[in-house]
């Protein structure tokens, strides 16, 4: 019996909301809120028309950049949990509002500013680049700075509960708990073997996606960041249920928290697969300045190139019916158990068309939305309630992985995987 406020009604949120409604004895009441309430209303109507869920759905208009609007909504709706499935830009304002209105918080991606030219933010960012050695626009420091405030308020904030970040960290906690005494290396492999038939489209919010992919790569070795030019480390891997794919080393947010939370880990890397067409388009767009976040004047009007590009690209939520193939995302570990060397691979395979049949979206939104629902479930059941600000690997992975098994993202395991060199 819980009341949950869900902010955002895009590709990921639409999956999470439908999955919450499948568990209508836990998620008894939900409020869906974003700036465009018509999208929230349309989803409410779709779910109600299907007639399969008893969850009572309401909708609201909110600009999550505005703490006062958020506080007013939270105080009037009185949820037990706020699920932030809007954009990383809103993480801090929603956390502020949760503190003020005294409610637990969760999200699916760590904070990143919308305006990377903001001088106040830039000064802190540039200092961090020098001190830590990686130049991604996002990092955990902004949200870790809320630890004491959440602890004192007796509230829990769960950060980054999608697939990666999210499930990948649960896989690490699970490997440490059940398979290893010590973990030496972690390789996170994110493979999308899906084909949507477009020459170029992104599977989730294009702005957030292209910023991530076009940035320099980095990995953690012996506690230090090693940064490399974008897409300069390439490997091939033969993925179960997908086949042979090219993958590239990227910076990814969970590397930062895993380095803090997996004792003695020596190296953590993240690889994602990309096809040549995607890379050629992205490089070209970058070369002509279309990935820039700095506003330019065009015919008397100020436009942000990457936002303009977003308007031109297919809406990720529209890719569902056209995408065929599978995703395969997981972690390969090396380490020691009972004094012996050991390797282990835990991953999930998800089929784009199966997702579409179930909830009307492709597997990228599905593999993020299902863990968001399962994370909320852990919090509402009290399994993952602990005052403070935490990432997924800091909680007991077992009930979460069981929930994933049950609600659409079952794990697969190998005790003799091919390693990535
Ligand atoms: P979309 O762009 O599809 O949806 C974003 C939603 O947020 C929209 O409904 C939008 O509605 C709403 N929103 C944006 N700004 C505001 C605002 N100021 N106030 C209220 N609502 C707002 O994004 P996705 O669904 O693809 O991504 C959602 C999140 O999931 C992102 O944070 C993304 O980084 C994360 N993600 C995480 C992954 C993981 O594995 N951990 C993988 C993929 C994505 P409106 O504009 O009407 O307000």
């Amino acid at each position: 019996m819980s009341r949950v406020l869900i902010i955002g009604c895009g590709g990921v949120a639409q999956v999470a909301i439908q999955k919450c409604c499948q568990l209508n004895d836990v998620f008894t009441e939900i409020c869906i809120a974003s700036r465009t309430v018509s999208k929230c209303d349309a989803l409410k109507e779709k779910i109600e028309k299907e007639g399969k869920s008893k969850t009572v759905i309401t909708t609201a208009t909110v600009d999550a950049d505005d703490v006062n609007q958020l506080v007013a909504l939270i105080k009037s709706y009185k949820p037990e949990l706020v699920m932030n499935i809007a954009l990383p830009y809103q993480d801090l304002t929603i956390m502020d509002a949760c503190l003020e209105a005294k409610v637990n918080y969760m999200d699916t991606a760590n904070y990143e500013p919308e305006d990377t030219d903001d001088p106040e933010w830039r000064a802190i960012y540039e200092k961090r680049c020098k001190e830590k050695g990686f130049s991604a626009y996002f990092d955990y420091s902004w949200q870790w700075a809320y630890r004491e405030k959440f602890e004192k308020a007796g509230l829990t904030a769960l950060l980054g509960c999608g697939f990666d970040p999210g499930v990948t960290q649960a896989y690490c906690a699970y490997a440490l708990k059940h398979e290893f005494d010590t973990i030496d290396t972690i390789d996170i492999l994110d493979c999308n073997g899906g084909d949507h038939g477009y020459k170029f489209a992104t599977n989730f919010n294009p702005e957030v996606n292209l910023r991530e992919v076009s940035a320099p790569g980095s990995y953690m070795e012996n506690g230090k960041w090693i940064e490399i030019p974008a897409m300069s480390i390439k490997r091939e891997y033969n993925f179960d249920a997908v086949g042979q794919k090219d993958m590239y080393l990227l910076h990814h947010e969970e590397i930062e928290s895993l380095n803090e939370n997996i004792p003695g880990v020596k190296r953590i890397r993240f690889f994602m697969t990309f096809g040549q067409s995607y890379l050629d388009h992205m490089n070209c767009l970058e070369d002509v300045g279309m990935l820039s976040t700095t506003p330019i004047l065009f015919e008397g009007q100020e436009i942000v190139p990457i936002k303009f590009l977003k308007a031109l690209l297919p809406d990720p939520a529209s890719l569902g019916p056209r995408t065929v193939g599978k995703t395969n995302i997981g972690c390969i570990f090396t380490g020691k158990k009972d004094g012996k060397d050991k390797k282990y691979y835990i991953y999930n395979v998800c089929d784009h068309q199966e997702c579409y049949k179930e909830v009307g979206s492709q597997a990228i939104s599905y593999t993020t939305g299902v863990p968001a629902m399962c994370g909320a479930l852990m919090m509402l059941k009290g399994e993952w309630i602990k005052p403070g600000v935490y990432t997924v690997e800091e909680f007991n992975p077992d009930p979460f992985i069981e929930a994933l098994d049950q609600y659409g993202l079952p794990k697969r395991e190998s005790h003799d995987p091919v390693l990535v060199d």
Side-chain angles (χ1 to χ4, degrees):
M1 293 278 285
S2 306
R3 180 181 270 235
V4 174
L5 170 63
I6 302 174
I7 301 176
C9 192
V12 175
Q14 293 197 16
V15 175
I17 291 162
Q18 291 178 77
K19 296 302 280 193
C20 291
C21 290
Q22 288 177 8
L23 272 76
N24 50 206
D25 47 348
V26 177
F27 297 86
T28 43
E29 292 177 49
I30 61 169
C31 174
I32 315 168
S34 79
R35 290 170 305 188
T36 320
V37 74
S38 56
K39 275 199 202 163
C40 311
D41 289 335
L43 182 61
K44 169 182 151 79
E45 201 176 305
K46 176 188 165 202
I47 296 168
E48 287 176 351
K49 243 191 202 152
E50 283 168 359
K52 291 186 206 147
S53 175
K54 292 199 192 85
T55 303
V56 177
I57 308 172
T58 49
T59 62
T61 307
V62 76
D63 181 350
D65 291 321
D66 182 335
V67 178
N68 293 333
Q69 282 189 35
L70 287 164
V71 171
L73 176 61
I74 298 171
K75 283 191 172 164
S76 73
Y77 188 66
K78 298 189 178 57
E80 278 153 64
L81 171 67
V82 173
M83 295 173 72
N84 166 14
I85 320 182
L87 295 175
Y89 313 146
Q90 282 85 44
D91 288 4
L92 303 185
T93 45
I94 301 178
M95 287 176 89
D96 283 330
C98 286
L99 280 170
E100 196 173 331
K102 300 196 174 28
V103 60
N104 293 324
Y105 166 90
M106 67 167 286
D107 65 34
T108 61
N110 71 9
Y111 172 68
E112 168 170 353
E114 184 158 19
D115 176 10
T116 52
D117 292 324
D118 171 20
E120 208 177 307
W121 174 83
R122 221 161 172 101
I124 299 170
Y125 162 77
E126 276 163 13
K127 187 164 170 273
R128 188 220 70 202
C129 289
K130 271 197 206 128
E131 281 171 8
K132 292 214 171 168
F134 68 97
S135 59
Y137 286 149
F138 49 88
D139 72 89
Y140 278 111
S141 65
W142 299 91
Q143 290 179 280
W144 282 343
Y146 282 70
R147 278 169 170 160
E148 213 184 313
K149 286 186 199 161
F150 271 78
E151 263 169 43
K152 278 195 180 145
L155 296 171
T156 305
L158 169 64
L159 306 185
C161 196
F163 206 107
D164 44 341
V167 178
T168 48
Q169 288 140 290
Y171 284 166
C172 293
Y174 184 87
L176 191 60
K177 187 170 174 184
H178 299 289
E179 299 285 338
F180 291 93
D181 295 325
T182 50
I183 291 176
D184 293 329
T185 67
I186 304 171
D187 278 333
I188 303 168
L189 271 49
D190 179 333
C191 164
N192 179 9
D195 182 5
H196 43 56
Y198 287 116
K199 284 193 175 148
F200 186 71
T202 64
N203 293 297
F204 67 98
N205 184 285
E207 201 180 321
V208 177
N209 182 223
L210 289 166
R211 273 193 192 193
E212 172 180 282
V213 173
S214 58
S218 64
Y219 60 101
M220 183 64 82
E221 198 158 52
N222 298 319
K224 289 205 170 66
W225 287 101
I226 297 175
E227 189 158 87
I228 55 155
M231 304 290 164
S232 60
I233 295 186
K234 175 184 168 189
R235 299 283 186 270
E236 278 177 30
Y237 200 81
N238 194 0
F239 288 91
D240 181 22
V242 175
Q244 191 87 7
K245 290 275 168 196
D246 292 341
M247 60 183 193
Y248 297 82
L249 188 144
L250 297 187
H251 174 85
H252 224 248
E253 66 197 59
E254 64 265 51
I255 299 176
E256 193 185 358
S257 70
L258 288 169
N259 186 57
E260 304 271 318
N261 294 319
I262 303 295
V265 65
K266 295 189 178 77
R267 192 189 67 202
I268 313 171
R269 302 183 297 185
F270 181 98
F271 291 91
M272 192 178 271
T273 62
F274 294 101
Q276 201 51 47
S277 171
Y278 181 97
L279 293 179
D280 290 345
H281 280 79
M282 192 188 75
N283 289 337
C284 174
L285 290 165
E286 180 159 39
D287 289 346
V288 298
M290 281 301 285
L291 303 189
S292 168
T293 54
T294 304
I296 57 155
L297 260 187
F298 176 71
E299 297 190 346
Q301 204 178 333
E302 202 173 70
I303 58 167
V304 177
I306 198 165
K307 283 190 190 290
F308 181 68
L309 175 65
K310 182 185 174 202
L312 292 174
L313 290 175
D315 178 358
S318 71
L319 299 178
R322 346 177 8 125
T323 308
V324 292
K326 292 181 170 62
T327 61
N328 176 326
I329 319 174
C331 305
I332 300 177
F333 303 93
T334 64
K336 291 205 169 42
K337 181 78 179 172
D338 301 328
K340 287 195 191 124
D341 287 339
K342 181 173 179 180
K343 48 186 184 170
Y344 174 64
Y345 190 9
I346 177 168
Y347 59 97
N348 164 263
V349 171
C350 190
D351 184 284
H352 285 285
Q353 280 300 303
E354 292 298 318
C355 299
Y356 186 68
K357 269 188 231 147
E358 187 192 329
V359 293
S361 69
Q362 31 79 2
I364 305 300
S365 299
Y366 191 89
T367 53
T368 312
V370 173
M373 179 281 282
C374 292
L377 182 66
M378 294 301 106
M379 294 179 80
L380 296 172
K381 283 184 159 180
E383 299 269 5
W384 284 11
I385 288 293
K386 164 164 91 165
V389 175
Y390 299 97
T391 44
V392 169
E393 72 274 23
E394 294 179 88
F395 290 106
N396 178 8
D398 296 350
F400 181 64
I401 289 180
E402 271 166 34
L404 294 168
D405 282 345
Q406 197 178 345
Y407 300 119
L409 298 174
K411 66 178 177 309
R412 296 188 187 189
E413 292 165 283
S414 162
H415 286 85
D416 189 22
V418 174
L419 300 179
V420 182
D421 62 19

